[in-house]
Amino acid sequence: MRALVVETPGKFSVQTVPDPTPGPGEVVVAVAAVGICGTDVHIVDGEFAPTPYPIIPGHEFTGEVVALGAGVSAVHEGDKVAVDPSLFCGACHYCAIGRGNLCENWGAIGDTVDGAMAQYVKVPAANCHRLPESVSLAQGTLVEPLSCAVHGFDKLPRHLGAHYLIYGAGTMGLMMLQLAAHAGAASVSVVDLNAGRLEVAQRLGADAVAASADAFGRPQGWEVVIDCTGVVPAIEDALTRVRRGGTFQQFGVAPSGATARISPFRVYNDEITIVGSMAVVHSFGRAVELMGKGVVDADTMITHSFGLDEFPEALRAFREGVGRKIQIRPAA
Ligand SMILES: [Zn+2]
Ligand SMILES: [Zn+2]
């Protein structure tokens, strides 16, 4: 099969490699589409620590099941599926307490084993989720990032009529916006420095958008403030916008060595909750259902599609911040 192989950081090419064969409990999926996300770029650049090289990246994908390993009965050939990339060990302390995303032996398809930037990918049958009729294979690539956003909401207090403030109108910020609106927010305001992105946020239901939260005239602050940028000045600003008794969520990925200033007095005196959210756990199936219900405007979210050989162009578009979700269609 043809696959994008990252041999060492910075060195990648489309190559012919052996087709995967399914082991017990596994299936092979013919990849229809795979989204590019920041993690893929970190893998290409050698900035994602758990990556073994060489590797085929790609963890936000859909396709059709084409081969079954021994003992697989719940998944059938011809099933159109989105695949939860999580590979948790099931044996460590965190897996035992139901927090597999913190697994001591954490792995993921496309991050620590070969992924979906290829014609075929081998996956555990248990990770396959059939797509509803209403979700196309191209749209279904959004299930994985949506499942991260759903996990983020699992970690937030849920009160109807809360006011939300979101930093960053990239793919994840826009997903959090759509989920907040669906979850009964009284209002959702979005901050981004890019006017084009703010326009999209508005189209997707933001009540107010601006380059600075000062523009919203809400000195009492917001019950829920979510950072989807990972950028320290944004995070420091966001922390000052939390209403007394409110919650700040760190959803965006900051560089591992970054530090940000907080006011311990405010955390104490105003009873501010600070909560993190990392990847996917127990949220993939619900993301499939929310996609099926149309909670996310998939056609607005996916703006570019490239063939496997066009990966360098796709990567350039991603780095330049062009559009929103960029996907690769290995069969094209
Ligand atoms: Zn991703
Ligand atoms: Zn584990």
Side-chain angles (χ1 to χ4, degrees):
M1 68 170 181
R2 310 250 301 142
L4 176 83
V5 180
V6 182
E7 285 170 65
T8 54
K11 185 163 179 264
F12 58 85
S13 61
V14 176
Q15 303 177 4
T16 301
V17 300
D19 287 353
T21 48
E26 294 179 331
V27 304
V28 169
V29 173
V31 180
V34 49
I36 298 183
C37 102
T39 305
D40 300 307
V41 178
H42 290 314
I43 287 171
V44 167
D45 292 341
E47 292 167 353
F48 190 68
T51 315
Y53 295 91
I55 190 164
I56 301 171
H59 59 272
E60 303 180 358
F61 63 101
T62 60
E64 192 175 317
V65 175
V66 293
L68 308 178
V72 174
S73 57
V75 179
H76 306 96
E77 277 182 46
D79 282 355
K80 292 182 168 58
V81 295
V83 180
D84 182 347
S86 310
L87 301 173
F88 306 148
C89 78
C92 74
H93 166 74
Y94 299 102
C95 286
I97 61 169
R99 301 188 69 174
N101 60 326
L102 306 180
C103 175
E104 287 171 12
N105 307 296
W106 184 88
I109 298 161
D111 296 341
T112 60
V113 301
D114 283 341
M117 302 257 176
Q119 287 177 289
Y120 301 100
V121 60
K122 180 176 76 168
V123 306
N127 291 42
C128 292
H129 294 252
R130 252 186 301 278
L131 287 171
E133 289 290 329
S134 59
V135 178
S136 72
L137 285 164
Q139 293 169 335
T141 57
L142 294 177
V143 169
E144 196 275 345
L146 181 61
S147 72
C148 296
V150 169
H151 173 57
F153 267 78
D154 284 348
K155 306 209 67 186
L156 289 172
R158 266 156 296 170
H159 296 128
L160 286 172
H163 295 271
Y164 286 72
L165 175 61
I166 295 172
Y167 281 67
T171 311
M172 295 318 302
L174 294 173
M175 284 204 174
M176 295 306 260
L177 153 66
Q178 292 168 90
L179 286 181
H182 186 71
S187 73
V188 188
S189 301
V190 177
V191 172
D192 199 297
L193 298 177
N194 179 324
R197 287 181 166 195
L198 290 178
E199 201 181 294
V200 178
Q202 214 152 19
R203 206 181 332 137
L204 293 177
D207 296 281
V209 300
S212 162
D214 288 336
F216 302 134
R218 198 178 161 77
Q220 72 272 42
W222 285 258
E223 282 85 16
V224 180
V225 179
I226 305 171
D227 174 71
C228 297
T229 70
V231 175
V232 170
I235 293 163
E236 290 182 340
D237 188 69
L239 282 159
T240 68
R241 310 289 181 173
V242 184
R243 189 173 194 164
R244 298 193 80 190
T247 299
F248 169 78
Q249 179 165 80
Q250 187 58 52
F251 189 90
V253 186
S256 59
T259 57
R261 283 182 309 165
I262 62 167
S263 160
F265 179 78
R266 272 212 74 212
V267 172
Y268 148 76
N269 192 60
D270 295 350
E271 297 199 337
I272 307 288
T273 301
I274 298 176
V275 63
S277 176
M278 205 285 283
V280 185
V281 66
H282 313 306
S283 54
F284 204 89
R286 283 177 291 148
V288 170
E289 294 195 284
L290 290 167
M291 278 297 297
K293 203 165 176 285
V295 169
V296 169
D297 179 345
D299 295 332
T300 298
M301 299 292 290
I302 300 168
T303 53
H304 292 74
S305 167
F306 293 91
L308 197 56
D309 290 306
E310 298 167 310
F311 182 78
E313 287 91 316
L315 187 62
R316 199 174 317 127
F318 185 95
R319 289 192 200 274
E320 287 169 3
V322 173
R324 287 166 291 286
K325 253 313 168 192
I326 294 171
Q327 58 178 217
I328 299 287
R329 301 200 190 187

